[in-house]
Each structure stands twice: as structure tokens, then as C-alpha cells.
């Protein structure tokens, strides 16, 4: 690996740091309250604006990674490719099933609403009865599957950035959820694991 490739991987890692830090920061209640004061009645569109910007940034990181000359962690084989497909497919299924419990319009933001005033019901059904963060579980499986399908350093950076983000990301997200739902969420925490399902009641 030459110095140019090294700097490209550093840039990719920094991009993921900015993306994940922005995700946690812009989802925090304090920042949302300040943005609502600044945006006024237009705050109802905040979720849609955020979703669009996050999507473009997310896709941009993958486009940038694709422009880096690949350095292979190991050479792909039929076995790693097949297993990668299986994991990514499982992750996609979990994501789709998890989203069935959520209003896609409210989640993405095309149904405008003030999420600081309109508290959604805490979802504990479906995959949310097995893990508190099924979408994060889905992302882990998809990113791991992608790495096995394209086992280069860029794919490994994608996966490692996600895995390093999840502990602090979950901590701050659940701190917000406790502030919103109180003892109801604390009881949910006691009974349901964060990411790895137990499949036992």
C-alpha cells in the first residue's frame, strides 16, 4: 500500500466518524430543541431533511470507497461470496421485518411532524421483542456480508467503523429514549438484549 492509498483509507475512516457522530448529535434532544427554536414551524420537515442528507452522505462514502484502488484482505472465494450473500440477505430480511413495526413515513420524514411534541408509542413487538436495536443488527449482518463478498480494506473500514460506533451510539440513543419513555424503557432494557437475540422469554 502506498501513501496515497493509506491517506484515502484515512479519509474514508474520517468520513464514517463524521457520519456517525453527526447521526448521534443530530438525534439528541438538546440539538433538536435548539433546531426547533431556530426553524420554527418548519421544524416538522427536519426529519426529512436529515434523512436526505444522511442518505447522500452514506452513499457518497461507498462511492468514494469504490474509487480507491483495492487492497485485498483475502482473495474472495465461492464460499466467502456465498456466505456474504447469506448474511446480507438475512440482514435485509431483519431490516424489512423491523420496519413493519414503524411508520416509514414518519421514520424518513415525508409525513411531517414535530417529534419533540408528538411522542411515538414505544415499539416492543416483532423483532423488537428479541433485540432493542434490530436495525443495527441488520446493518452488522449486511456490512459483514458485504465485506465477505468484497473482502478489501475499504469494506473492512465500513464494517469496523460501524462496530466501533455501536457501543457509544447505543448508549446515547438509549439515554435519549430513557428521557422520553422513563421507567417503561428501563424495564424494556432489563428484559430485552441490545443486539444479540436470546430467543427466550
Amino acid at each position: 500500500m502506498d501513501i496515497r492509498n493509506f491517506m484515502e483509507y484515512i479519509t474514508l475512516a474520517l468520513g464514517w466518524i463524521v457520519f456517525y457522530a453527526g447521526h448521534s448529535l443530530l438525534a439528541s434532544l438538546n440539538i433538536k430543541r435548539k433546531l426547533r427554536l431556530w426553524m420554527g414551524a418548519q421544524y416538522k420537515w427536519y426529519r426529512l431533511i436529515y434523512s436526505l442528507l444522511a442518505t447522500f452522505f452514506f452513499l457518497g462514502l461507498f462511492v468514494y470507497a469504490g474509487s480507491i484502488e483495492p487492497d485485498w484482505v483475502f482473495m474472495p472465494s465461492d464460499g466467502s461470496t456465498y456466505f456474504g450473500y447469506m448474511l446480507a440477505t438475512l440482514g435485509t430480511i431483519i431490516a424489512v421485518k423491523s420496519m413493519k413495526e414503524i411508520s416509514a413515513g414518519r421514520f424518513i420524514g415525508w409525513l411531517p411532524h414535530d417529534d419533540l411534541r408528538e411522542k411515538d408509542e414505544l415499539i416492543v413487538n416483532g423483532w423488537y421483542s428479541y433485540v432493542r436495536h434490530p436495525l443495527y443488527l441488520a446493518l452488522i449482518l449486511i456490512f459483514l456480508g458485504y465485506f465477505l463478498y468484497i473482502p478489501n480494506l475499504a469494506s473492512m473500514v465500513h464494517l469496523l467503523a460501524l462496530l466501533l460506533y455501536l457501543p457509544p451510539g447505543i448508549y446515547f440513543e438509549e439515554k435519549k429514549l430513557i428521557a422520553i419513555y422513563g421507567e417503561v424503557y428501563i424495564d424494556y432494557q432489563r428484559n430485552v438484549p441490545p443486539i444479540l437475540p436470546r430467543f427466550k422469554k
Side-chain angles (χ1 to χ4, degrees):
M1 181 193 307
D2 58 29
I3 187 65
R4 178 183 173 184
N5 268 30
F6 178 75
M7 293 307 299
E8 287 174 330
Y9 290 121
I10 294 295
T11 301
L12 180 61
L14 290 174
W16 280 117
I17 290 172
V18 170
F19 177 82
Y20 288 128
H23 172 74
S24 288
L25 186 66
L26 294 174
S28 71
L29 293 177
N30 286 336
I31 294 298
K32 284 185 171 184
R33 291 185 185 113
K34 291 176 182 178
L35 286 170
R36 186 172 67 180
L37 286 173
W38 176 64
M39 296 176 72
Q42 300 308 311
Y43 176 78
K44 65 185 179 181
W45 296 108
Y46 170 71
R47 183 75 191 189
L48 179 61
I49 295 168
Y50 168 77
S51 295
L52 291 172
L53 291 176
T55 299
F56 283 123
F57 201 117
F58 183 88
L59 295 176
L61 287 171
F62 278 89
V63 171
Y64 177 74
S67 72
I68 301 174
E69 184 178 343
D71 290 290
W72 298 98
V73 178
F74 60 87
M75 294 308 296
S77 65
D78 290 342
S80 65
T81 299
Y82 177 76
F83 195 47
Y85 271 129
M86 293 289 290
L87 289 176
T89 300
L90 177 59
T92 302
I93 290 170
I94 293 172
V96 170
K97 288 186 174 292
S98 300
M99 287 301 296
K100 286 184 177 180
E101 307 295 331
I102 302 172
S103 167
R106 288 172 72 87
F107 182 81
I108 295 171
W110 71 59
L111 294 178
H113 68 287
D114 185 338
D115 58 357
L116 291 174
R117 289 178 179 162
E118 304 170 28
K119 184 170 77 172
D120 293 321
E121 183 180 351
L122 179 64
I123 300 170
V124 295
N125 303 318
W127 265 92
Y128 289 87
S129 66
Y130 297 111
V131 291
R132 301 196 300 271
H133 303 282
L135 291 177
Y136 286 155
L137 171 60
L139 278 177
I140 291 171
L141 293 172
I142 291 169
F143 275 41
L144 179 57
Y146 184 76
F147 170 67
L148 292 175
Y149 177 66
I150 305 177
N152 60 28
L153 281 180
S155 300
M156 189 168 73
V157 170
H158 298 326
L159 177 61
L160 290 178
L162 174 65
L163 295 176
L164 290 173
Y165 164 72
L166 286 180
I170 288 173
Y171 170 79
F172 287 114
E173 184 172 340
E174 297 204 328
K175 190 175 179 181
K176 178 185 73 174
L177 291 169
I178 290 171
I180 295 172
Y181 297 104
E183 282 296 326
V184 174
Y185 194 82
I186 292 172
D187 185 60
Y188 178 57
Q189 278 183 313
R190 292 192 192 106
N191 294 290
V192 179
I195 289 180
L196 297 178
R198 290 193 293 258
F199 294 106
K200 289 182 179 180
K201 294 291 184 183

